[in-house]
PDB file of all heavy atoms in Angstrom:
ATOM      1  N   THR S 230      -6.354 -48.792 -34.969  1.00 93.00           N
ATOM      2  CA  THR S 230      -7.361 -49.761 -34.391  1.00 93.00           C
ATOM      3  C   THR S 230      -6.898 -50.083 -32.842  1.00 93.00           C
ATOM      4  O   THR S 230      -5.726 -50.267 -32.613  1.00 93.00           O
ATOM      5  CB  THR S 230      -7.247 -51.102 -35.096  1.00 93.00           C
ATOM      6  OG1 THR S 230      -7.654 -50.926 -36.406  1.00 93.00           O
ATOM      7  CG2 THR S 230      -8.142 -52.185 -34.392  1.00 93.00           C
ATOM      8  N   LEU S 231      -7.965 -49.863 -32.005  1.00 95.00           N
ATOM      9  CA  LEU S 231      -7.722 -50.152 -30.516  1.00 95.00           C
ATOM     10  C   LEU S 231      -7.628 -51.646 -30.325  1.00 95.00           C
ATOM     11  O   LEU S 231      -8.456 -52.412 -30.818  1.00 95.00           O
ATOM     12  CB  LEU S 231      -8.805 -49.511 -29.612  1.00 95.00           C
ATOM     13  CG  LEU S 231      -8.654 -49.719 -28.132  1.00 95.00           C
ATOM     14  CD1 LEU S 231      -7.514 -49.030 -27.634  1.00 95.00           C
ATOM     15  CD2 LEU S 231     -10.011 -49.144 -27.520  1.00 95.00           C
ATOM     16  N   LEU S 232      -6.572 -52.068 -29.583  1.00 96.00           N
ATOM     17  CA  LEU S 232      -6.349 -53.576 -29.304  1.00 96.00           C
ATOM     18  C   LEU S 232      -6.915 -53.865 -27.933  1.00 96.00           C
ATOM     19  O   LEU S 232      -6.388 -53.205 -26.987  1.00 96.00           O
ATOM     20  CB  LEU S 232      -4.866 -53.889 -29.553  1.00 96.00           C
ATOM     21  CG  LEU S 232      -4.354 -53.440 -30.942  1.00 96.00           C
ATOM     22  CD1 LEU S 232      -2.645 -53.812 -30.824  1.00 96.00           C
ATOM     23  CD2 LEU S 232      -4.970 -54.171 -31.999  1.00 96.00           C
ATOM     24  N   LEU S 233      -7.717 -54.867 -27.931  1.00 96.00           N
ATOM     25  CA  LEU S 233      -8.371 -55.182 -26.638  1.00 96.00           C
ATOM     26  C   LEU S 233      -8.502 -56.639 -26.465  1.00 96.00           C
ATOM     27  O   LEU S 233      -8.984 -57.391 -27.203  1.00 96.00           O
ATOM     28  CB  LEU S 233      -9.925 -54.620 -26.568  1.00 96.00           C
ATOM     29  CG  LEU S 233     -10.608 -54.795 -25.302  1.00 96.00           C
ATOM     30  CD1 LEU S 233      -9.937 -53.944 -24.215  1.00 96.00           C
ATOM     31  CD2 LEU S 233     -12.185 -54.391 -25.627  1.00 96.00           C
ATOM     32  N   ASP S 234      -7.986 -57.120 -25.275  1.00 96.00           N
ATOM     33  CA  ASP S 234      -8.044 -58.653 -24.859  1.00 96.00           C
ATOM     34  C   ASP S 234      -8.783 -58.770 -23.607  1.00 96.00           C
ATOM     35  O   ASP S 234      -8.624 -57.866 -22.712  1.00 96.00           O
ATOM     36  CB  ASP S 234      -6.627 -59.187 -24.786  1.00 96.00           C
ATOM     37  CG  ASP S 234      -5.857 -59.121 -26.108  1.00 96.00           C
ATOM     38  OD1 ASP S 234      -6.509 -59.583 -27.142  1.00 96.00           O
ATOM     39  OD2 ASP S 234      -4.742 -58.876 -26.201  1.00 96.00           O
ATOM     40  N   SER S 235      -9.763 -59.745 -23.526  1.00 96.00           N
ATOM     41  CA  SER S 235     -10.592 -59.919 -22.370  1.00 96.00           C
ATOM     42  C   SER S 235     -10.636 -61.336 -21.914  1.00 96.00           C
ATOM     43  O   SER S 235     -10.532 -62.175 -22.667  1.00 96.00           O
ATOM     44  CB  SER S 235     -11.981 -59.423 -22.689  1.00 96.00           C
ATOM     45  OG  SER S 235     -12.096 -58.114 -23.222  1.00 96.00           O
ATOM     46  N   VAL S 236     -10.775 -61.479 -20.556  1.00 96.00           N
ATOM     47  CA  VAL S 236     -10.992 -62.692 -19.967  1.00 96.00           C
ATOM     48  C   VAL S 236     -12.233 -62.734 -19.122  1.00 96.00           C
ATOM     49  O   VAL S 236     -12.500 -61.754 -18.319  1.00 96.00           O
ATOM     50  CB  VAL S 236      -9.776 -63.101 -18.969  1.00 96.00           C
ATOM     51  CG1 VAL S 236     -10.054 -64.477 -18.369  1.00 96.00           C
ATOM     52  CG2 VAL S 236      -8.479 -63.084 -19.779  1.00 96.00           C
ATOM     53  N   ILE S 237     -13.154 -63.787 -19.293  1.00 96.00           N
ATOM     54  CA  ILE S 237     -14.511 -63.794 -18.641  1.00 96.00           C
ATOM     55  C   ILE S 237     -14.549 -64.996 -17.814  1.00 96.00           C
ATOM     56  O   ILE S 237     -14.049 -66.080 -18.058  1.00 96.00           O
ATOM     57  CB  ILE S 237     -15.534 -63.709 -19.705  1.00 96.00           C
ATOM     58  CG1 ILE S 237     -17.006 -63.484 -19.120  1.00 96.00           C
ATOM     59  CG2 ILE S 237     -15.546 -65.025 -20.507  1.00 96.00           C
ATOM     60  CD1 ILE S 237     -18.034 -63.090 -20.112  1.00 96.00           C
ATOM     61  N   SER S 238     -15.245 -64.810 -16.584  1.00 96.00           N
ATOM     62  CA  SER S 238     -15.442 -66.093 -15.686  1.00 96.00           C
ATOM     63  C   SER S 238     -16.724 -65.793 -14.859  1.00 96.00           C
ATOM     64  O   SER S 238     -16.973 -64.686 -14.486  1.00 96.00           O
ATOM     65  CB  SER S 238     -14.198 -66.348 -14.862  1.00 96.00           C
ATOM     66  OG  SER S 238     -14.029 -65.287 -13.967  1.00 96.00           O
ATOM     67  N   GLY S 239     -17.348 -66.835 -14.606  1.00 96.00           N
ATOM     68  CA  GLY S 239     -18.562 -66.775 -13.705  1.00 96.00           C
ATOM     69  C   GLY S 239     -19.863 -67.325 -14.440  1.00 96.00           C
ATOM     70  O   GLY S 239     -19.665 -68.177 -15.263  1.00 96.00           O
ATOM     71  N   SER S 240     -20.923 -66.890 -14.006  1.00 94.00           N
ATOM     72  CA  SER S 240     -22.175 -67.568 -14.451  1.00 94.00           C
ATOM     73  C   SER S 240     -23.332 -66.516 -14.654  1.00 94.00           C
ATOM     74  O   SER S 240     -23.253 -65.303 -14.014  1.00 94.00           O
ATOM     75  CB  SER S 240     -22.735 -68.596 -13.421  1.00 94.00           C
ATOM     76  OG  SER S 240     -22.863 -68.005 -12.150  1.00 94.00           O
ATOM     77  N   VAL S 241     -24.338 -66.860 -15.414  1.00 93.00           N
ATOM     78  CA  VAL S 241     -25.435 -66.123 -15.686  1.00 93.00           C
ATOM     79  C   VAL S 241     -26.803 -67.014 -15.556  1.00 93.00           C
ATOM     80  O   VAL S 241     -26.442 -68.225 -15.592  1.00 93.00           O
ATOM     81  CB  VAL S 241     -25.439 -65.495 -17.156  1.00 93.00           C
ATOM     82  CG1 VAL S 241     -24.312 -64.537 -17.210  1.00 93.00           C
ATOM     83  CG2 VAL S 241     -25.480 -66.549 -18.172  1.00 93.00           C
TER      84      VAL S 241
END
Side-chain angles (χ1 to χ4, degrees):
T230 298
L231 180 64
L232 305 178
L233 180 69
D234 295 315
S235 305
V236 178
I237 191 169
S238 64
S240 59
V241 300

